[in-house]
């Protein structure tokens, strides 16, 4: 454990941010799985609705700094491409 006051604070802040980032990443994964499940079932309307919700969550995670902008774009692009494969 750190001895200096500022170092102790950095340890605490890092722990808080790590938990927050972990929760947000987990939420993003959940929404991605929902889109993939909707595509797997073959229901385009449900898949598009889930995609819209997933894009919102992914972009919010990006705006909070959990994901890099390019990572956000890549995730959205891949999900969109997946949904567009449905006829």
């Amino acid at each position: 454990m750190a001895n200096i006051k500022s170092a102790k604070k950095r340890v605490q802040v890092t722990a808080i941010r790590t938990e927050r980032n972990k929760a947000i990443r987990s939420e993003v994964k959940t929404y991605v799985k929902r889109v993939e499940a909707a595509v797997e079932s073959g229901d385009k309307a449900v898949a598009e609705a889930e995609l819209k919700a997933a894009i919102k969550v992914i972009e919010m995670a990006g705006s909070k700094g959990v994901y890099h902008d390019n990572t956000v774009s890549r995730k959205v692009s891949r999900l969109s491409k997946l949904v567009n494969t449905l006829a």
Side-chain angles (χ1 to χ4, degrees):
M1 186 68 188
N3 291 324
I4 299 170
K5 184 178 180 181
S6 62
K8 288 178 182 178
K9 182 175 180 180
R10 295 311 317 155
V11 169
Q12 289 176 333
V13 170
T14 301
I16 291 168
R17 285 186 178 176
T18 301
E19 286 299 315
R20 178 174 159 263
N21 290 346
K22 192 184 300 185
I24 292 171
R25 285 177 195 264
S26 176
E27 185 180 21
V28 167
K29 287 179 190 177
T30 300
Y31 277 85
V32 169
K33 286 178 187 175
R34 286 184 187 175
V35 173
E36 291 171 348
V39 169
E40 191 73 29
S41 70
D43 192 349
K44 188 166 177 82
V46 173
E48 287 176 346
E50 292 293 344
L51 174 65
K52 186 175 178 182
I55 289 173
K56 181 178 178 182
V57 172
I58 292 169
E59 288 181 348
M60 282 178 59
S63 71
K64 292 174 190 289
V66 177
Y67 288 118
H68 190 275
D69 290 341
N70 290 350
T71 304
V72 170
S73 296
R74 185 180 67 245
K75 286 182 178 294
V76 169
S77 177
R78 287 179 179 172
L79 282 179
S80 299
K81 185 177 177 183
L82 185 66
V83 171
N84 288 337
T85 59
L86 292 174

